[in-house]
Amino acid sequence: MEIIRFAELRSEPWRNGGGVTRELASHPKAASAQDGAWDWRVSIADLTKAGDFSAFPGMERVLTVVDGELLLLTVDGAEHPLEKYRPFRFSGEAAAHGALPTGDIRNLNVITRADSFKGFTSIIELSKKRAHPVFEGQLAVLLQGQATVSPGAAEATENAEDGGSAAAPAEPEALNRYDAVVGSDVRSPEILGRGFLAVVSIDRVAG
C-alpha cells in the first residue's frame, strides 16, 4: 500500500512566479515538475496572483479548484468561472490566464499527453460505513475531512491460496489533507472516513 504524503513533497516555483507546484505523481518520473518530460502528471498548485498559465503543447489538462472559492480562468479568450470541486478540461496548448476575484486558491492538476493518455477527476463524498476502493491506474487525494486507508482483502486471500494462513488485517493508516493513495488491482486500498476525496484516473488511449 503506497501513500504519498503531501507534507513531504518538494515545492517548485512557477516559471512566471505566480505560484508553486507540488508533484504527486508522474510517468515517467521527470527530474523536474516543470520540464514536461513525462506523459502524465498529477500535481497540486497554489495560485497567489493573477497571471498566465504555462503552456503544455500536445497535452490535455483537467483543473479542479480544491481550496478557495473561485478561479476565473480565461482559455483562448473565453472566460470560465471555476468553483470549488468542479473539474474543468482544456487544451494544454491553449492560451490560459487565471484571475483571483476572491483570493488565493489551490488547484489539483491532471495533465496528460493527448495521444497516449486520458485523465479524469471525480470528486466523491466519503463514508464511514462503506469503504471506497482505489484501483490500478487511480490516485485518490484526500481534499477535506478525516480518513483512514487499509489494504484490501486480496492480500489475505493470496496468502490462503499459497497454502499459508490468512494474514491479520493491517492497521488502518490515517491520511492527512492532500495525502494521496496509489491504487492497485492486487491489493486495492480502501478508504473510510468523512469528507471529500478526489479520485484521479489515468487511462491509456487505445491505438
Side-chain angles (χ1 to χ4, degrees):
M1 186 171 67
E2 183 180 353
I3 301 173
I4 301 166
R5 298 293 184 183
F6 182 74
E8 298 173 2
L9 298 178
R10 181 182 65 182
S11 63
E12 296 199 17
W14 290 15
R15 286 191 289 256
N16 65 7
V20 296
T21 294
R22 293 173 177 84
E23 181 182 289
L24 291 168
S26 63
H27 174 80
K29 185 68 176 176
S32 164
Q34 302 294 343
D35 64 13
W38 28 262
D39 287 330
W40 60 260
R41 187 188 79 184
V42 181
S43 64
I44 290 178
D46 294 328
L47 184 58
T48 56
K49 68 179 183 180
D52 294 334
F53 282 35
S54 300
F56 290 93
M59 303 280 191
E60 186 178 61
R61 305 181 65 157
V62 180
L63 183 153
T64 309
V65 175
V66 296
D67 195 21
E69 294 181 23
L70 180 68
L71 169 64
L72 203 55
L73 183 67
T74 301
V75 180
D76 284 342
E79 196 172 77
H80 305 273
L82 304 186
E83 298 177 333
K84 189 176 181 180
Y85 295 169
R86 294 184 179 275
F88 179 76
R89 184 184 302 274
F90 62 103
S91 170
E93 56 197 49
H97 178 92
L100 308 174
T102 59
D104 297 353
I105 61 163
R106 177 167 276 174
N107 296 326
L108 175 66
N109 293 291
V110 180
I111 306 179
T112 54
R113 195 169 301 282
D115 59 356
S116 302
F117 293 91
K118 189 88 172 175
F120 301 89
T121 301
S122 300
I123 308 298
I124 67 163
E125 187 169 2
L126 286 168
S127 167
K128 285 189 172 183
K129 296 181 179 180
R130 185 174 182 180
H132 185 86
V134 189
F135 298 114
E136 185 178 6
Q138 293 184 334
L139 194 72
V141 184
L142 180 64
L143 300 180
Q144 181 180 320
Q146 295 181 325
T148 59
V149 58
S150 304
E155 184 174 5
T157 303
E158 287 173 356
N159 288 340
E161 289 175 351
D162 290 340
S165 58
E171 287 294 320
E173 290 196 47
L175 296 174
N176 298 311
R177 194 176 190 188
Y178 304 123
D179 285 352
V181 177
V182 180
S184 170
D185 276 346
V186 177
R187 302 173 184 174
S188 298
E190 297 181 338
I191 300 175
L192 279 170
R194 181 164 291 172
F196 290 92
L197 192 72
V199 179
V200 175
S201 301
I202 306 291
D203 294 347
R204 187 176 290 276
V205 174

